[in-house]
Structures are given as structure tokens and as C-alpha cells.
Amino acid sequence: MTWKSLAELEHHARSLRDSTTARVPGLLQTREYALEIFRQAVTELPPPDIEHRLSFRIKRQAILFREDEPTPYEAITHEAALRMKVGGAKVARQQLQHLLDMSDRDHITLRAITFDAGAYPGSGQSIHYAHGPVPELDTVYLDQAHGLAFVDADAELRRYRTLFDRIEALALPPEKTRDLIHNVMRDL
């Protein structure tokens, strides 16, 4: 599958779930934050490639803004991602405010896992679960250094659903997540 397949998958999903550790989930990134992420790619990208990826990332976010049934979205991110000053304090502050604004939307649930939670399953990777229009079309995609990896075998999907349940059990509720974000903003 390609990046275009990813956009198609997200566009048709009944709902989406993300778990990230070191970065704010892509669907909730501001343009400035995403730009800095792409500038830090392991293989240095030429400016036209950065702009193409940035444009694609922002266009994918449209599913969260549809007037007729925006896609339900649950994002769990680690406190580490909230505290990293990606792009400097100004960009980090704008990103955190954007998270607060997005978490005000009825179809978006934002939760955080604190440093106090310690090690937890799945903490070393970003995991994205797209609930398909029918369960047989559910897909997990993993954003890895070499590109996207897609998982759609039933046994693997069951493992990832269990993994998400375990991650959710450790995450703060949405209101406490908002409190954490406000505290991080004060520290900037």
C-alpha cells in the first residue's frame, strides 16, 4: 500500500485510533509542527518533497472537519510527545493549543500517558488502527523508518485491539489530559 492508500483507508474508516510516543499524532499536527518533523527525516528530504508531504498530511486531516459526519478519532499520546519542543517553544505552544482546540470537538478524544505510567505495551512504536466500513476491512498501519507497514490479518488485528485496550487502561481521561497539556504549556 502507498501513502495514497493510507488517505483512502482513513477517508472510508468508521473510526480511527492512534497511539504515539515521541510525536503528536499526524492527524492532529499543525502545519509548523509537521514541517519540522519532515525537516528532521533520517534521509534528508529536498524542499519540494517536504512541501509535498506536508500538503498531503494537512489534506488527510480533512476527515476530522467534514460537516457531514466527521470521522470519530481517538488519539493517545505520551507525555514525552507533549513536552518535546519540536520547532522551538513557539511552535510547541501552538501545537499544544491546537491539541486543546481539537479535543473540544465531540468526535475527537485525546488522552495522554504520563511518565509515571512507566513502561507499557506498544510504547516503542506509533500504532494506527482504522476501523473499516465492515470489520473485515479493519487495518493497522505502522509508520516506520522505511515507510508504512499495513496489517490486516484477523489474528494480528485481534492483538492490536488488545494492545489498544491495554494502552487505554493506562491513559489519563480526557479532562486530566487537558490539564496536563495546560501544565506543559505553562512550562514552556
Side-chain angles (χ1 to χ4, degrees), residues 66 101 117 125 132 146:
R66 293 189 282 219
D101 295 343
Q125 62 185 331
H146 65 278

Side-chain angles (χ1 to χ4, degrees), residues 86-100:
V86 172
K90 180 181 177 185
V91 170
R93 190 174 291 107
Q94 290 170 341
Q95 177 61 64
L96 292 169
Q97 183 60 55
H98 182 68
L99 289 174
L100 290 171

Side-chain angles (χ1 to χ4, degrees), residues 66-145:
R66 293 189 282 219
E67 288 185 31
D68 63 327
E69 297 187 49
T71 304
Y73 181 55
E74 178 184 2
I76 300 173
T77 193
H78 195 275
E79 183 177 352
L82 301 175
R83 291 198 178 274
M84 281 190 208
K85 294 179 186 168
V86 172
K90 180 181 177 185
V91 170
R93 190 174 291 107
Q94 290 170 341
Q95 177 61 64
L96 292 169
Q97 183 60 55
H98 182 68
L99 289 174
L100 290 171
D101 295 343
M102 294 299 285
S103 70
D104 278 338
R105 295 174 176 269
D106 291 337
H107 64 285
I108 295 175
T109 303
L110 177 62
R111 299 176 66 197
I113 295 177
T114 64
F115 287 118
D116 291 340
Y120 63 95
S123 63
Q125 62 185 331
S126 293
I127 306 164
H128 314 279
Y129 194 109
H131 294 270
V134 295
E136 294 79 17
L137 295 178
D138 284 7
T139 305
V140 166
Y141 52 101
L142 309 168
D143 192 359
Q144 301 175 334

